[in-house]
């Protein structure tokens, strides 16, 4: 007790978005749903589709447990130039503030540098105050508003 477990970051996808760690992908579902409960049934198929469309995924593991994950992509746009965008970053509730999120952020920053990105960006729901404090501590800044209109109707 009191001993801090080592957190290892394991890529679930290769550089082309292919799933290379199917067992870790399956184990990630419960943690991912803490942030995104709206992901439809058929989690593995949905994540395969997202990754084949440009998404990349890593899991943070302690022993045989997934304690966090990140889904991200590198692309170019007119506002940022080449950027690494984080779709999802989640640490399981009981492991928050233990360094898991920081390890995932550091991994994505390394990926951004490896892809010659000039920016690392993410969106965070306005209600996620604790997450915002974390992002500020990690050196991120608010640079724009994200507007959205529901087009499902």
């Amino acid at each position: 007790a009191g001993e801090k477990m080592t957190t290892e970051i394991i890529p679930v996808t290769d550089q082309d978005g292919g799933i290379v760690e199917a067992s870790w992908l399956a184990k990630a579902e419960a943690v991912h749903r803490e942030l995104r409960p709206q992901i439809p049934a058929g989690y593995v198929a949905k994540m395969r589709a997202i990754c084949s469309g440009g998404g990349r995924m890593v899991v943070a593991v302690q022993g045989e447990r997934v304690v966090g994950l990140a889904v991200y992509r590198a692309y170019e746009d007119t506002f940022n130039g080449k950027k690494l965008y984080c779709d999802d970053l989640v640490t399981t509730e009981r492991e928050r503030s233990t360094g898991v999120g920081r390890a995932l952020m550091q991994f994505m920053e390394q990926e951004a540098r490896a892809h010659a990105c000039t920016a690392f960006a993410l969106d965070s729901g306005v209600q996620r105050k604790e997450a915002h404090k974390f992002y500020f501590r990690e050196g991120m800044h608010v640079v724009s508003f994200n507007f959205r209109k529901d087009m499902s109707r």
Side-chain angles (χ1 to χ4, degrees):
E3 186 178 324
K4 188 175 178 184
M5 296 261 324
T6 301
T7 301
E8 183 181 0
I9 305 299
I10 299 176
V12 171
T13 53
D14 61 21
Q15 289 303 312
D16 297 319
I19 304 298
V20 294
E21 290 289 348
S23 63
W24 285 118
L25 174 59
K27 289 180 182 182
E29 181 174 1
V31 174
H32 206 167
R33 287 190 185 282
E34 288 184 36
L35 177 68
R36 303 275 184 238
Q38 73 274 24
I39 294 173
Y43 175 78
V44 169
K46 179 55 136 177
M47 294 312 298
R48 282 184 188 278
I50 287 169
C51 293
S52 70
R56 302 295 174 261
M57 183 174 177
V58 294
V59 290
V61 302
Q62 293 177 351
E64 292 299 310
R65 289 186 316 124
V66 172
V67 294
L69 65 90
V71 178
Y72 62 95
R73 59 192 71 235
Y75 66 95
E76 195 161 358
D77 66 23
T78 57
F79 177 68
N80 295 283
K82 192 155 187 197
K83 75 175 176 182
L84 189 124
Y85 178 79
C86 176
D87 294 20
D88 296 332
L89 173 64
V90 60
T91 299
T92 192
E93 182 76 39
R94 63 180 264 210
E95 297 297 336
R96 292 194 184 140
S97 299
T98 65
V100 174
R102 171 164 282 167
L104 288 162
M105 290 286 286
Q106 289 173 341
F107 176 87
M108 287 186 287
E109 287 179 21
Q110 290 170 353
E111 284 289 287
R113 287 185 187 93
H115 287 91
C117 295
T118 56
F120 172 27
L122 57 80
D123 294 325
S124 183
V126 294
Q127 77 284 3
R128 300 191 70 236
K129 305 287 188 214
E130 292 304 309
H132 302 163
K133 291 178 191 175
F134 168 73
Y135 298 134
F136 286 132
R137 283 194 308 270
E138 292 299 309
M140 300 194 94
H141 308 281
V142 176
V143 296
S144 65
F145 287 104
N146 179 311
F147 292 92
R148 186 172 111 174
K149 186 174 187 176
D150 186 355
M151 301 302 291
S152 64
R153 296 182 221 160

